[in-house]
């Protein structure tokens, strides 16, 4: 394709995003030439688009990046949080060619290789303001030219969305595996790892590689199991602790997760992050609900209630544990979000268990909350049998 042909496509902006509220945003296709459904969210991170797109928690979502210049650093294997891009689609204002020494592939080529539709030339500022006002909206991306904008709106309205749907099924591993020390050579890992003296079983609801790295750096020998593994099978492995991972979608839709959590609590120390935090909340009698437009980005302030310290965190979730549903005799709230006062962490008053809603393993950052993994090790050592 000649430069003139590329400019013609960008000027015509024939591809579009249609929203269930009737809004239409025009752009040009830069990813896979497919049409797709997704929940439209916005992410305020200034960097880390590769980690965002490869985070299984984004399955089923169209990610709108509020940062205007995207693509400069390209894509490389070390920064991937899973084996492929997981988001349902990407929406950006300006796509740039890669120009970075660590780049192994351009973002455009990676999107095409993973089959992810993406639009550039979108008015991301207007779209973000719409989402701020109306909340998460169902959307339809058309790059094929086979659907009119009006038909796209109708398709978005008719789509069932993600509420109550088990999105974990599409991202969990198919069989158990042990996290390998070979990852020590990955970007961000120390060359010398501590002894793996504690055995941990991690439920894979869409677990990120950097969570596994951080657990290993705290001396955990991590065995990852599929999301639907029975609690009895996990306990039969005689772990020192069990971890409930991050993942996509509605926690109430994840088959068997709450029942398994109930069966494990009190048997061994338990930890959770993001979706795992929500599942553990449900297992302790709390309820979850959808946030208006979710938390997506690397600049969310969270307060430690025991010390008053405030840290900046990375987050990605549309659902949260509801404060008024927590039984204060069972759970103690440990962290709150300073933007909307939503629950960001709790510990059990009955059994060894801690969980947080934010992402302490955040890559590329911020790293304020990384000490959570040291707290996990401390919890296990204090309760090791």
């Amino acid at each position: 394709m000649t430069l003139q042909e590329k400019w013609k496509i960008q000027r015509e902006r024939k591809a579009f995003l249609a929203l269930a509220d009737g809004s239409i945003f025009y752009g040009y296709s830069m990813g896979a030439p497919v049409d797709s459904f997704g929940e439209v969210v916005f992410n305020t991170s200034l960097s880390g688009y590769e980690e965002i797109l490869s985070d299984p928690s984004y399955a089923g979502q169209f990610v709108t990046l509020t940062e205007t210049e995207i693509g400069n650093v390209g894509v490389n294997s070390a920064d991937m949080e899973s084996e492929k891009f997981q988001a349902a689609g990407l929406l950006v204002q300006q796509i740039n060619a890669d120009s970075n020494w660590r780049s192994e592939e351009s973002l455009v080529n990676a999107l095409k290789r993973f089959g992810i539709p993406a639009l550039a030339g979108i008015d991301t500022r207007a779209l973000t303001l719409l989402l701020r006002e109306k909340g998460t909206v169902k959307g339809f991306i058309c790059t094929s030219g086979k659907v009119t904008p009006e038909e796209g709106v109708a398709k978005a309205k008719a789509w069932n969305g993600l509420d109550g749907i088990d999105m974990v099924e599409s991202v969990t591993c198919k069989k158990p595996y042990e996290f390998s020390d070979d990852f020590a050579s990955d970007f961000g890992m120390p060359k010398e790892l501590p002894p793996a003296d504690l055995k941990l079983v991690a439920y894979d609801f869409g677990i990120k590689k950097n969570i596994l790295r951080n657990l290993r750096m705290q001396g955990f020998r991590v065995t990852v199991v599929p999301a639907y593994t029975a609690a009895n099978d996990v306990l039969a492995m005689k772990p020192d602790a069990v971890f409930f991972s991050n993942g996509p979608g509605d926690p109430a839709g994840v088959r068997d997760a709450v029942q398994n959590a109930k069966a494990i609590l009190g048997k061994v120390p338990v930890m959770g992050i993001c979706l795992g935090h929500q599942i553990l909340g449900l297992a302790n009698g709390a309820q979850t609900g959808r946030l208006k437009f979710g938390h997506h980005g690397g600049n969310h302030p969270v307060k430690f209630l025991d010390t008053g310290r405030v840290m900046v965190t990375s987050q990605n979730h549309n659902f949260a544990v509801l404060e008024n549903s927590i039984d204060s005799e069972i759970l103690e709230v440990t962290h709150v979000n300073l933007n909307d006062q939503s629950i960001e962490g709790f510990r059990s008053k009955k059994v060894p268990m801690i969980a947080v809603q934010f992402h302490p393993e955040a890559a590329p950052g911020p790293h304020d909350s990384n000490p959570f993994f040291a707290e996990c090790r401390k919890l296990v050592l204090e309760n090791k049998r």
Side-chain angles (χ1 to χ4, degrees):
M1 182 181 295
T2 67
L3 187 60
Q4 287 77 12
E5 288 172 332
K6 290 182 179 180
W7 284 346
K8 184 174 184 293
I9 291 173
Q10 293 180 17
R11 286 196 304 270
E12 290 179 340
R13 298 169 73 233
K14 290 183 176 180
F16 63 85
L17 166 72
L19 301 181
D21 75 337
S23 302
I24 300 169
F25 290 81
Y26 292 94
Y28 60 92
S29 175
M30 64 168 185
V34 297
D35 299 343
S36 181
F37 294 96
E39 286 189 347
V40 188
V41 301
F42 65 89
N43 188 297
T44 57
S45 297
L46 298 179
S47 61
Y49 59 77
E50 181 180 0
E51 290 89 340
I52 291 167
L53 290 169
S54 60
D55 178 356
S57 298
Y58 277 106
Q61 297 180 353
F62 293 158
V63 181
T64 306
L65 295 177
T66 59
E67 171 61 32
T68 55
E69 301 285 335
I70 301 299
N72 303 60
V73 297
V75 173
N76 68 79
S77 56
D79 289 342
M80 293 285 286
E81 289 287 8
S82 65
E83 298 306 315
K84 62 179 184 178
F85 284 176
Q86 305 280 356
L90 177 64
L91 304 162
V92 306
Q93 200 283 319
Q94 175 69 38
I95 182 67
N96 295 332
D98 56 321
S99 179
N100 184 277
W101 67 275
R102 296 182 67 237
S103 177
E104 299 169 1
E105 183 179 18
S106 72
L107 175 57
V108 169
N109 287 343
L111 288 163
K112 293 177 179 178
R113 180 164 61 88
F114 291 123
I116 307 300
L119 302 182
I122 294 290
D123 187 345
T124 52
R125 178 177 293 181
L127 179 54
T128 299
L129 290 173
L130 183 150
L131 297 174
R132 289 268 305 183
E133 179 183 345
K134 297 185 177 182
T136 302
V137 181
K138 295 185 296 180
F140 176 78
I141 286 179
C142 178
T143 66
S144 67
K146 298 178 181 180
V147 178
T148 67
E150 294 73 22
E151 290 171 339
V153 170
K155 286 179 176 291
K157 289 181 178 178
W159 183 52
N160 290 329
L162 304 182
D163 285 12
I165 303 299
D166 187 356
M167 294 297 297
V168 166
E169 187 174 11
S170 65
V171 298
T172 188
C173 60
K174 304 305 179 185
K175 59 183 180 180
Y177 66 92
E178 186 165 321
F179 184 67
S180 172
D181 282 359
D182 291 343
F183 281 91
S185 61
D186 277 3
F187 182 75
M189 285 283 284
K191 292 183 179 180
E192 294 185 8
L193 295 171
D197 57 353
L198 294 173
K199 183 176 181 179
L200 182 143
V201 174
Y203 271 100
D204 178 15
F205 300 120
I207 197 164
K208 296 167 65 177
K209 286 185 178 180
N210 215 39
I211 288 178
L212 294 171
R213 293 187 185 106
N214 277 276
L215 289 169
R216 178 61 188 89
M217 284 189 282
Q218 287 298 325
F220 288 106
R221 185 172 75 256
V222 184
T223 300
V224 182
V225 298
Y228 311 112
T229 306
N232 288 340
D233 292 337
V234 169
L235 294 173
M237 299 169 73
K238 300 188 182 303
D240 295 310
V242 174
F243 178 84
F244 287 75
S245 83
N246 66 293
D250 184 349
V254 185
R255 173 166 50 90
D256 301 333
V258 175
Q259 292 77 9
N260 285 329
K262 287 180 178 179
I264 291 171
L265 285 168
K267 305 293 196 311
V268 294
V270 172
M271 300 86 75
I273 289 175
C274 199
L275 181 65
H277 171 267
Q278 297 162 20
I279 289 170
L280 291 173
L282 291 170
N284 281 278
Q287 298 176 355
T288 56
R290 179 181 279 277
L291 297 170
K292 182 178 179 181
F293 46 79
H295 295 164
H296 310 279
N299 59 349
H300 290 263
V302 169
K303 183 177 182 179
F304 284 68
L305 295 183
D306 57 349
T307 65
R309 176 191 169 204
V310 175
M311 60 184 176
V312 178
T313 68
S314 175
Q315 303 198 15
N316 170 33
H317 59 108
N318 281 329
F319 293 82
V321 176
L322 302 178
E323 181 183 9
N324 59 8
S325 71
I326 288 181
D327 186 339
S328 59
E329 295 185 0
I330 298 177
L331 295 177
E332 176 188 359
V333 176
T334 54
H335 305 77
V336 295
N337 189 297
L338 292 183
N339 287 334
D340 60 10
Q341 301 302 307
S342 60
I343 302 300
E344 292 284 356
F346 50 64
R347 66 168 61 96
S348 172
K349 293 183 177 180
K350 303 290 186 180
V351 299
M353 183 207 77
I354 57 175
V356 293
Q357 182 63 72
F358 50 86
H359 283 274
E361 82 293 341
H367 301 145
D368 298 24
S369 57
N370 189 262
F372 171 78
F373 293 100
E375 293 180 32
C376 291
R377 179 175 177 83
K378 179 181 178 183
L379 179 76
V380 176
L381 291 177
E382 290 176 345
N383 294 276
K384 195 173 187 301
R385 297 174 180 176

